[in-house]
Amino acid sequence: MIFIIYLIAFLAAVAVLFYLLGYAYIFNGISKTYLRGKTSANIDDGKLFTSNIIHTTKPVLWNEHSDYNKKDLPNNIVDDLIHSNTASFLVIKDGKLLHEQYWNGYNELSKTNSFSMAKAVTVMLFGKALEEGKIKNIDAPFSEFYDEFKNKPFGKDVTLKHLAQMESGLNWDENYKNPFLPNARAYYGTSLMKATFSRTFKEKPGERFEYQSGSTQLLGFAVKKAVNQSLSSYLSEKFWIPLGMEQNASWSVDESGMEKTYCCIHSNSRDFAKLGQLFLDDGKVGDEQILNLNFIEKMRTPTEKSDEIYGMGLWINNDNPIKHYYFLGLQGQYIIIIPEHKMVIVRTGSYNNLPKTDRGRPDQVKFSVNETVKLFA
């Protein structure tokens, strides 16, 4: 009995200490992971967070290819997908659904977490705001939107383009496993502004590429201020509805209603594929140009500072014999665009230890491209 009393007192003291040090969000993280049998964020955790709805109004179903699901995936692809705990694997060819397969109880209606694929979506919203004149210049300083950054060392030099290209110089450790680092604070905390605006800059912007969730979250703050509405509603109006998405999606938010713009759009794989098809069609849906082609080219053009592997929100592999670029999310969420073969591949799942040995890019992407093209091209 005495032991239990001491244990409760100890835990209470720890809780108070964590609260005073600004780590109270860790308890929220524990309740959403370990107490639910998980070891980290997962593709099904959307229902555990407050979210804004991304509405669609006129769903358009994919046209099925004449060879829809007529070919079985070969053993090497299936083994790789099963080994990596895949939820869905879709192939779009010539604008039509060619192959669709699900595992582990998921189906065409299942909504899963985009994780960092949302970074590319945030950059798309940035591009739309530029196109509409709500943001005047791609090189607009972030401090034009938030004056307090004028007083931060290097803060006044950060532009929106720096944020989109991951060249901001932000002091942010992109570590998903350490609960005391900023990613966990942003994901499980209650204030995205506190999580990001409290960070300093460690170097001059534009000098070095460093992939950071915090940079995209700052970009999201600027875009939201520029468009003067929730980013979920802006995404709905400018992309979800024009693309004829099959389902409403959701976007996780903090207690102020600010979207987690570095992650956390919860949607189904068929609708994720429509985002890829938009890029394959150079920003057009039918005869309507819904995203400026010049901006799309900026997104999919690799930067020198990234050593030619990243553009703005998109990862790029032009050194593979079959060139491709893609949206990339934690645990192996991919929307892969293969222009040469008019193909889009979507893969979702829970690949917790996703190998990234190809200059920071997942090996699985290149494998999926090469083997899928071999099968379906």
Side-chain angles (χ1 to χ4, degrees):
M1 183 66 180
I2 294 176
F3 171 76
I4 293 175
I5 293 173
Y6 278 125
L7 178 61
I8 292 172
F10 172 75
L11 292 175
V14 169
V16 170
L17 179 62
F18 273 33
Y19 177 80
L20 293 174
L21 294 175
Y23 295 124
Y25 65 87
I26 289 177
F27 296 105
N28 187 34
I30 291 171
S31 72
K32 289 178 167 59
T33 54
Y34 294 109
L35 296 184
R36 296 176 182 273
K38 305 289 184 180
T39 58
S40 66
N42 64 89
I43 61 172
D44 299 315
D45 65 8
K47 59 185 177 292
L48 305 178
F49 293 90
T50 303
S51 61
N52 288 341
I53 302 300
I54 305 164
H55 292 279
T56 190
T57 57
K58 296 179 181 178
V60 178
L61 300 181
W62 279 102
N63 289 324
E64 292 182 1
H65 196 281
S66 57
D67 292 327
Y68 173 72
N69 275 4
K70 288 184 179 178
K71 275 188 180 180
D72 291 333
L73 297 178
N75 289 338
N76 64 334
I77 296 179
V78 172
D79 290 346
D80 178 73
L81 293 172
I82 291 175
H83 169 73
S84 59
N85 199 22
T86 295
S88 70
F89 185 77
L90 277 65
V91 179
I92 310 299
K93 173 73 172 168
D94 298 323
K96 296 180 180 180
L97 184 59
L98 176 59
H99 187 87
E100 181 178 30
Q101 196 164 346
Y102 300 90
W103 289 264
N104 299 321
Y106 295 92
N107 58 51
E108 66 274 12
L109 299 178
S110 300
K111 296 178 184 178
T112 57
N113 196 334
S114 69
F115 289 118
S116 289
M117 293 199 300
K119 288 181 170 70
V121 176
T122 298
V123 175
M124 290 167 63
L125 297 179
F126 171 36
K128 196 65 183 179
L130 278 167
E131 181 183 326
E132 295 184 327
K134 294 176 179 178
I135 295 174
K136 300 303 181 185
N137 194 309
I138 193 171
D139 294 308
F142 182 76
S143 60
E144 282 188 3
F145 301 87
Y146 293 93
D147 281 343
E148 56 264 48
F149 277 74
K150 291 178 181 176
N151 300 319
K152 284 178 177 278
F154 300 124
K156 68 179 185 305
D157 303 317
V158 179
T159 69
L160 302 189
K161 186 178 180 182
H162 288 145
L163 295 170
Q165 290 184 330
M166 300 294 180
E167 297 175 9
S168 69
L170 186 67
N171 185 9
W172 185 282
D173 189 339
E174 190 71 5
N175 184 316
Y176 293 91
K177 296 182 179 179
N178 187 327
F180 297 99
L181 292 178
N183 272 7
R185 183 187 299 272
Y187 198 82
Y188 295 110
T190 58
S191 172
L192 289 163
M193 184 168 281
K194 286 181 180 178
T196 53
F197 281 45
S198 61
R199 308 304 298 180
T200 59
F201 293 87
K202 60 186 178 183
E203 58 192 354
K204 185 178 178 180
E207 294 292 309
R208 189 167 64 90
F209 168 81
E210 185 177 358
Y211 180 82
Q212 300 172 324
S213 291
S215 289
T216 308
Q217 188 60 54
L218 289 176
L219 179 64
F221 274 111
V223 176
K224 182 178 181 180
K225 196 163 190 178
V227 301
N228 195 30
Q229 64 184 104
S230 76
L231 293 178
S232 302
S233 62
Y234 194 57
L235 177 57
S236 172
E237 291 173 15
K238 305 306 176 183
F239 295 105
W240 229 250
I241 291 172
L243 282 165
M245 295 303 201
E246 294 187 14
Q247 291 181 275
N248 291 342
S250 62
W251 203 341
S252 299
V253 298
D254 69 4
E255 64 180 7
S256 75
M258 179 66 204
E259 288 84 357
K260 297 177 181 178
T261 52
Y262 66 92
C263 79
C264 309
I265 294 173
H266 305 270
S267 186
N268 68 81
S269 296
R270 287 184 171 192
D271 286 344
F272 283 142
K274 288 189 175 185
L275 294 174
Q277 188 65 42
L278 178 65
F279 280 82
L280 196 59
D281 293 336
D282 293 335
K284 296 183 78 172
V285 177
D287 294 327
E288 183 184 1
Q289 190 80 40
I290 69 169
L291 185 57
N292 183 281
L293 179 55
N294 289 335
F295 189 81
I296 284 179
E297 291 292 3
K298 287 183 173 66
M299 288 185 69
R300 62 191 180 192
T301 298
T303 63
E304 181 183 349
K305 294 292 192 305
S306 72
D307 198 19
E308 306 294 323
I309 64 170
Y310 194 85
M312 294 198 308
L314 296 171
W315 292 85
I316 298 153
N317 192 338
N318 285 340
D319 43 308
N320 190 59
I322 303 169
K323 295 178 172 60
H324 55 277
Y325 59 96
Y326 51 101
F327 298 57
L328 171 62
L330 183 70
Q331 300 181 7
Q333 324 309 315
Y334 317 125
I335 305 170
I336 309 169
I337 299 96
I338 312 170
E340 179 186 356
H341 296 280
K342 298 181 180 178
M343 190 178 290
V344 175
I345 299 171
V346 171
R347 184 269 177 194
T348 64
S350 302
Y351 202 173
N352 279 316
N353 294 302
L354 179 66
K356 292 183 179 180
T357 59
D358 182 22
R359 295 201 293 151
R361 298 169 298 189
D363 296 333
Q364 189 180 41
V365 172
K366 184 165 65 174
F367 169 82
S368 298
V369 167
N370 294 339
E371 296 303 315
T372 302
V373 167
K374 187 188 303 182
L375 178 65
F376 290 120

